[in-house]
């Protein structure tokens, strides 16, 4: 996304790969604590008592098959592998290519704060061979395979603007997910700009994604992309900024739905809170990328609590003047909270009751029902 001018400031401590930093924020420590647990893989077996032949165990202290998530993915060639990941902070980048379909990642403790996958690349970070990473290349985790599921994992990018004042490419992705039928249950996404990239593999490829009971935080466009994605019972938190003196600090959503795709982002039964002053955030702006000038971004927010951080008078904004948000597919329905007040009706398009019957997870995801997946 274009650069632009629950846990505050010591967020870097949370994402740092040290036991002391994690403990300071009430999060699980890294390898030191994980190595002392009598059952680091919880109820999910162990290398000596493997759940299935395609189950691999990741442990930072050496008690698993491998000590890094990247090595586990490399070892999980083909379809249908499960990674059981012991508590720890895994500072690495990971990519799940399209051939590794049906993969599942499980945080063994069943608390996403205990299993943290983190790195600190940004779009403007130089690459060893020359050039910079770009937005997509900044991702800590990239998932391209269909049928991917993650439970109880934190995906994070702890790159900070304050540490790199001369860098203009400040996009820093925690997770880029492009596969169809990608589900995330009880996961956390930490970053600042472009935290969660819910996208597809190609312009003509529609990807269905489901996020349930998840937490995402950031500032500029921190949930963005062209996927057909449902966010159910999720918590979105906007961060404070010390580099800006006035509103807006940023935007929660920046969908880039293809014009040919009938459905984009659906946010339902969720909440949006903020560390920032009242009214300092927009709910969304449309992203019409230069690679797809026919995009018609779609976002429906319904039955969701919007906190005072959202600008109730003008909750939407343009990313570019030649693609005004009013020409896109933005709508709301039965939202509550101070950020949901209808102050200027023309600035808050509302679904009718009849239209709302089609704004459901079933309508978005079709014959795929990830909410029925067992844990």
């Amino acid at each position: 996304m274009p650069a632009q001018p629950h846990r505050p400031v010591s967020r870097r401590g949370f994402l740092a790969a040290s036991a002391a930093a994690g403990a300071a924020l009430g999060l699980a420590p890294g390898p030191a604590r994980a190595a002392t647990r009598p059952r680091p893989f919880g109820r999910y077996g162990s290398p000596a008592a493997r759940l299935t032949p395609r189950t691999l165990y990741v442990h930072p202290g050496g008690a698993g098959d491998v000590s890094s998530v990247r090595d586990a993915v490399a070892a999980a060639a083909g379809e249908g592998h499960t990674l059981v990941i012991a508590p720890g902070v895994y500072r690495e980048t990971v990519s799940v290519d399209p051939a590794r379909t049906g993969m599942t990642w499980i945080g063994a403790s069943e608390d996403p704060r205990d299993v943290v996958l983190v790195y600190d690349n940004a779009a403007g970070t130089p690459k060893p061979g020359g050039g910079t990473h770009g937005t997509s290349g900044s991702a800590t985790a990239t998932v391209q395979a269909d049928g991917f599921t993650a439970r109880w994992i934190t995906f994070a990018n702890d790159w900070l603007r304050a540490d790199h004042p001369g860098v203009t490419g400040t996009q820093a992705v925690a997770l880029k997910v492009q596969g169809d039928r990608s589900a995330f249950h009880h996961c956390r996404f930490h970053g600042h700009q472009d935290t969660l990239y819910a996208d597809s593999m190609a312009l003509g490829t529609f990807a269905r994604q489901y996020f349930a009971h998840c937490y995402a935080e950031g500032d500029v466009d921190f949930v963005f992309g062209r996927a057909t994605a449902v966010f159910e019972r999720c918590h979105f938190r906007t961060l404070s900024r010390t580099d800006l003196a006035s509103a807006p600090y940023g935007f929660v959503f920046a969908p880039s739905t293809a014009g040919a795709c009938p459905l984009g982002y659906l946010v339902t039964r969720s909440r949006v809170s903020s560390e920032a002053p009242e009214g300092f955030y927009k709910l969304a702006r449309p992203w019409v990328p230069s690679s797809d000038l026919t995009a018609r971004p779609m976002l429906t927010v319904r039955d969701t609590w919007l906190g005072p951080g959202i600008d109730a008078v003008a909750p939407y904004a343009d990313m570019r003047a030649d693609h005004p948000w009013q020409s896109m597919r933005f709508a709301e329905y039965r939202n509550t909270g101070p950020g949901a007040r209808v102050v200027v009706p023309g600035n808050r398009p509302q679904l009718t009751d009849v239209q709302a019957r089609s704004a459901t997870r079933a309508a978005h995801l079709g014959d795929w029902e990830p909410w029925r997946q067992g844990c």
Side-chain angles (χ1 to χ4, degrees):
M1 305 294 298
Q4 158 157 347
H6 235 62
R7 303 183 187 276
V9 179
S10 51
R11 183 163 291 98
R12 165 59 65 82
F14 157 52
L15 302 169
S18 75
L25 286 167
L27 298 162
R33 173 180 156 191
T36 62
R37 289 191 174 207
R39 295 184 61 196
F41 302 110
R43 62 187 175 102
Y44 296 99
S46 68
R50 211 172 292 276
L51 287 183
T52 72
R54 288 181 172 263
T55 302
L56 293 171
Y57 295 86
V58 186
H59 189 285
D65 297 305
V66 293
S67 59
S68 74
V69 179
R70 182 190 297 172
D71 287 347
V73 170
E79 303 177 2
H81 285 275
T82 296
L83 308 187
V84 179
I85 307 173
V89 178
Y90 298 84
R91 180 163 283 277
E92 53 183 307
T93 59
V94 181
S95 181
V96 181
D97 64 65
R100 288 170 163 79
T101 57
M103 181 176 283
T104 298
W105 293 6
I106 297 174
S109 71
E110 302 184 13
D111 184 337
R113 295 172 178 82
D114 288 345
V115 177
V116 180
L117 181 65
V118 58
Y119 209 72
D120 61 347
N121 282 330
T125 301
K127 294 194 295 187
T132 57
H133 284 283
T135 300
S136 291
S138 74
T140 298
T142 301
V143 177
Q144 298 181 320
D146 292 343
F148 180 87
T149 299
R151 298 189 182 98
W152 305 297
I153 308 286
T154 291
F155 299 86
N157 190 317
D158 64 354
W159 189 91
L160 295 176
R161 297 182 187 92
D163 295 343
H164 307 274
V167 175
T168 56
T170 56
Q171 302 89 342
V173 178
L175 171 71
K176 180 175 183 178
V177 54
Q178 298 174 280
D180 185 37
R181 293 173 291 107
S182 300
F184 297 82
H185 303 268
H186 303 279
C187 289
R188 296 174 70 87
F189 308 97
H190 288 256
H192 286 266
Q193 182 171 353
D194 290 11
T195 304
L196 174 56
Y197 196 171
D199 203 49
S200 69
M201 283 294 290
L203 179 58
T205 302
F206 302 154
R208 295 166 295 173
Q209 298 165 8
Y210 179 68
F211 300 82
H213 304 279
C214 290
Y215 171 91
E217 68 176 23
D219 47 42
V220 178
D221 306 328
F222 66 92
V223 181
F224 73 111
R226 66 172 169 243
T228 294
V230 174
F231 301 88
E232 184 169 34
R233 298 190 184 280
C234 291
H235 178 190
F236 305 93
R237 186 157 179 82
T238 61
L239 302 179
S240 188
R241 297 183 63 173
T242 58
D243 58 319
L244 295 180
S246 61
Y249 278 178
F251 315 84
V252 181
F253 302 100
S256 59
T257 322
C261 186
L263 297 166
Y265 285 179
L266 170 66
V267 179
T268 179
R269 295 188 287 179
S270 295
R271 62 187 175 119
V272 179
S273 66
S274 184
E275 292 178 0
E278 183 174 332
F280 267 52
Y281 271 88
K282 305 292 187 180
L283 185 60
R285 62 178 181 172
W287 176 29
V288 178
S290 58
S291 59
D292 179 23
L293 296 179
T294 65
R296 284 197 66 221
M298 181 178 187
L299 168 70
T300 300
V301 181
R302 62 171 299 170
D303 303 301
T304 289
W305 184 84
L306 305 179
I310 298 300
D311 180 357
V313 176
Y316 305 105
D318 301 336
M319 186 175 292
R320 297 183 179 89
D322 49 348
H323 299 290
W325 73 263
Q326 292 91 342
S327 66
M328 305 304 169
R329 295 175 284 178
F330 285 3
E332 301 179 46
Y333 183 72
R334 291 187 177 176
N335 294 322
T336 58
R341 291 182 298 110
V342 180
V343 180
V344 181
N347 287 345
R348 306 215 72 146
Q350 303 289 316
L351 297 180
T352 66
D353 291 345
V354 172
Q355 291 171 328
R357 292 173 195 157
S358 299
T360 65
R361 63 186 185 183
H364 274 64
L365 303 180
D367 59 357
W368 178 50
E369 299 180 331
W371 53 88
R372 298 188 187 278
Q373 294 176 348
C375 292

